[in-house]
Amino acid sequence: MTVHTIQTQPIAGQKPGTSGLRKKTPVFMGRHYLENFVQAIFDVVGAEGKTFVLGGDGRYFNDRAAQVILRMAAANGAARVIVGQGAILSTPAASHLIRLNKTDGGIIMSASHNPGGPHEDFGVKFNMSNGGPAPEGVTEAMFQRTTEITEYKMLDAHDVDLGAVGRHHLGGMIVDVVDPVSDYAALMETLFDFPAIAAMFKGGFRMRMDSMCAVTGPYAVEILENRLGAATGTCVNATPLPDFGGMHPDPNPTWAKALMDEMFGADAPDFGAASDGDGDRNMVVGAGAYVSPSDSLAVLAANAHLAPGYARGLAGVARSMPTSAAADRVADALGIGKYETPTGWKFFGNLLDAGRATLCGEESFGTGSDHVREKDGLWAVLLWLNILAVRKQSVATILAEHWAKFGRNYYSRHDFEAIASDKADAMMAALRASLPALAGRVVEGLTISAADDFAYTDPVDGSVSQKQGVRILFEDGSRIVLRLSGTGTDGATLRLYLERYAAGPEGLDRDPQEALAPVIRAAHVLAGIEGYTGRVTPDVIT
Ligand code: G1P
Ligand code: ZN
């Protein structure tokens, strides 16, 4: 088999965002597009003699892209690639395989929660040998490489049969096709009390798991139904489809509406959950009780010791800056470390590697721990199940008791999607310019105590990340955060994060939008959202 060196030229805009390079599928399928980026990855991290993991969420083009990446890995001298059967791996399972096999990293093909299909989204992300997303310095170097690239290497070979588990050879490279589920399921068994959860299901506990026609289907069926004995049919939309069955595989109340309807309907199951395209996000909901991701992180932190894998307690809890401070209150009560990082899972990696944080979470339906270096949807579902099995209370009761003890951080995120980028940029620029003069101003009856553009100094390696989002803090503890999405593929998405603290004991069971109303109005006044973008009503409220 021959290695061809193919002449190419830079393609503009191959800049990895919050989670790798994400573009419309036809863009990715364009001439040299995938190849240029993959070569840039190998040029930066080196491929000669190395071992990588490869898999994706099964979306349209996943199978073809896998064959291209394998041929390029072989052409670049990689020794071995471990691939999920059918080129399928959930993001957390890929992270685990990278760590378990002590590989040099991995390539994950996914656009996470973005829709898939010929006209939807595709993505490629590189994870390091610790199993976590490449840090900014590395993704920046990859981007730099894409601006200089003149050639890439490609092995002239037939497709590898990825349908069957076993060892194959591609040129001089070994391709090991592995079952995508088994190692991950084994890891979960080490963390959670499977017998206790199984006993709960045996006792009549009912659950609905909505995999949204995305990658967690096979994982959920194996773990929840086969190993834990949940009733057959507990898992729905459990077959991964190239277009996710036309669904938008983002587990939130808007896109997982069928699950929400069931959980708030008559005869609701005890517990419901959904996960996203690549399986790293989760939404959990009890019968008639929605759990916001920020609250979920706080409840998990307060109760993690009930699961065997965390029985010794937590080293610390980390949350992204826009995530509510509910988890901080738990960390304070436990006397453990608390960390506030920029948006994006990659910022948790150093804290996890250094043993400073055990649990991490983001308001965007992401929770995880030091068992891998990605957020992990099914992990969060299993930790909740373990807590429910031990406490033998409903989700609603656990939430109410949590708020009674710690107070409640009312929280919501409003997304304004597909705004013209120049308008969004102008709005953010004007807002940033206004920050120095904001302290002391009263808006909608709320007094501003401070305002800044969040900058983060990594406590482990000292690296600094600037301009991570505008924060406006109020004297009563309320908070507004604004930032532009780094994962969208269509214009700009403005994310407006809103928070207000209620100490209780009164006023803990209000509707969040109503409780946040003055904060929401203040945000619109301060940022001039309508004036710049023409938008008043958000596209998605979570
Ligand atoms: C979004 C979320 C962020 C998450 C990322 C990847 O990024 O807001 O918390 O880490 O997806 O799942 P954003 O589009 O806001 O840049
Ligand atoms: Zn995801």
Side-chain angles (χ1 to χ4, degrees):
M1 280 177 250
T2 17
V3 172
H4 292 294
T5 300
I6 297 168
Q7 304 305 310
T8 186
Q9 49 194 6
I11 299 170
Q14 292 197 309
K15 192 173 173 62
T18 315
S19 341
L21 181 64
R22 233 176 249 183
K23 295 288 171 194
K24 289 289 169 204
T25 311
V27 174
F28 249 107
M29 294 175 75
R31 190 167 157 76
H32 301 321
Y33 197 92
L34 172 69
E35 292 84 349
N36 273 16
F37 189 64
V38 171
Q39 188 63 52
I41 292 176
F42 289 141
D43 286 349
V44 168
V45 303
E48 188 69 41
K50 294 198 167 171
T51 297
F52 299 108
V53 165
L54 174 66
D57 61 16
R59 68 181 62 223
Y60 187 82
F61 190 49
N62 186 86
D63 49 353
R64 296 308 316 146
Q67 298 290 349
V68 169
I69 294 168
L70 285 173
R71 285 204 291 274
M72 289 186 67
N76 279 276
R80 179 178 171 224
V81 177
I82 302 168
V83 195
Q85 188 179 8
I88 296 279
L89 283 177
S90 77
T91 291
S95 182
H96 177 50
L97 284 181
I98 291 170
R99 297 165 63 78
L100 182 69
N101 295 286
K102 300 194 169 37
T103 68
D104 300 292
I107 293 179
I108 300 175
M109 302 168 290
S110 169
S112 186
H113 51 287
N114 293 7
H119 305 291
E120 301 296 348
D121 291 358
F122 193 78
V124 169
K125 176 167 94 157
F126 186 79
N127 280 29
M128 311 294 282
S129 60
N130 73 344
E136 268 184 338
V138 175
T139 55
E140 193 50 44
M142 289 169 182
F143 171 57
Q144 194 53 43
R145 190 68 197 139
T146 66
T147 66
E148 305 157 348
I149 193 162
T150 56
E151 57 184 42
Y152 60 81
K153 292 198 176 70
M154 180 71 73
L155 187 75
D156 188 9
H158 289 296
D159 283 0
V160 181
D161 177 9
L162 300 179
V165 168
R167 178 159 286 192
H168 308 264
H169 295 270
L170 185 62
M173 186 178 85
I174 291 168
V175 179
D176 281 325
V177 180
V178 301
D179 176 68
V181 178
S182 53
D183 285 326
Y184 176 83
L187 174 66
M188 294 300 114
E189 293 211 26
T190 68
L191 298 174
F192 303 116
D193 190 343
F194 272 45
I197 301 171
M200 178 170 73
F201 279 121
K202 203 156 190 229
F205 183 90
R206 290 187 305 135
M207 176 177 177
R208 173 72 61 230
M209 172 74 211
D210 190 342
S211 289
M212 306 189 84
C213 300
V215 80
T216 60
Y219 296 83
V221 170
E222 171 61 18
I223 294 172
L224 298 174
E225 297 187 11
N226 298 350
R227 299 198 185 194
L228 291 169
T232 304
T234 294
C235 305
V236 294
N237 297 319
T239 303
L241 299 173
D243 66 348
F244 305 127
M247 287 190 180
H248 188 152
D250 197 0
N252 63 42
T254 302
W255 298 117
K257 187 171 180 306
L259 176 68
M260 289 298 281
D261 289 348
E262 183 175 4
M263 297 308 298
F264 280 81
D267 195 34
D270 300 290
F271 186 60
S275 53
D276 74 328
D278 63 330
D280 57 357
R281 293 186 174 198
N282 75 92
M283 177 176 84
V284 293
V285 48
Y290 167 68
V291 186
S292 81
S294 294
D295 279 342
S296 181
L297 176 64
V299 170
L300 294 181
N303 294 279
H305 61 280
L306 301 177
Y310 307 93
R312 286 178 304 150
L314 309 175
V317 181
R319 63 167 173 87
S320 67
M321 181 274 281
T323 303
S324 96
D328 297 17
R329 296 178 185 280
V330 175
D332 288 343
L334 294 173
I336 59 174
K338 57 180 181 191
Y339 301 90
E340 185 178 35
T341 62
T343 295
W345 207 260
K346 60 189 170 202
F347 292 100
F348 294 133
N350 280 346
L351 296 170
L352 294 167
D353 285 347
R356 295 216 198 180
T358 310
L359 292 201
C360 305
E362 293 194 275
E363 50 64 42
S364 51
F365 298 83
T367 9
S369 87
D370 58 0
H371 69 291
V372 290
R373 291 295 180 273
E374 290 278 3
K375 53 189 178 253
D376 188 344
L378 275 174
W379 168 90
V381 171
L382 290 166
L383 182 48
W384 265 98
L385 284 171
N386 197 141
I387 291 165
L388 291 165
V390 174
R391 288 187 53 167
K392 303 187 195 316
Q393 292 169 306
S394 69
V395 172
T397 303
I398 288 174
L399 264 186
E401 289 190 1
H402 187 92
W403 293 332
K405 183 168 177 189
F406 296 100
R408 180 171 180 185
N409 290 72
Y410 282 102
Y411 188 84
S412 185
R413 183 176 104 182
H414 291 191
D415 290 337
F416 302 81
E417 296 176 343
I419 302 172
S421 291
D422 54 341
K423 292 182 178 169
D425 290 341
M427 192 203 83
M428 289 302 290
L431 181 63
R432 287 191 157 103
S434 76
L435 295 179
L438 284 187
R441 200 172 140 189
V442 181
V443 194
E444 297 292 321
L446 299 166
T447 307
I448 298 172
S449 55
D452 69 0
D453 195 348
F454 182 59
Y456 177 68
T457 304
D458 187 301
V460 179
D461 66 16
S463 61
V464 178
S465 303
Q466 306 277 4
K467 298 183 86 168
Q468 297 295 319
V470 167
R471 300 192 286 190
I472 302 171
L473 311 173
F474 296 88
E475 278 179 358
D476 72 346
S478 300
R479 186 179 74 145
I480 294 168
V481 174
L482 294 104
R483 57 180 284 282
L484 299 183
S485 160
T487 60
T489 53
D490 190 9
T493 294
L494 167 65
R495 303 209 192 282
L496 168 61
Y497 309 83
L498 307 139
E499 180 173 0
R500 184 178 201 183
Y501 181 66
E506 304 300 314
L508 294 177
D509 52 4
R510 297 171 70 186
D511 170 63
Q513 300 306 319
E514 182 242 329
L516 290 164
V519 187
I520 297 169
R521 287 196 301 271
H524 280 265
V525 170
L526 289 165
I529 296 173
E530 185 176 10
Y532 281 97
T533 69
R535 305 289 183 85
V536 187
T537 315
D539 298 288
V540 178
I541 295 181
T542 51

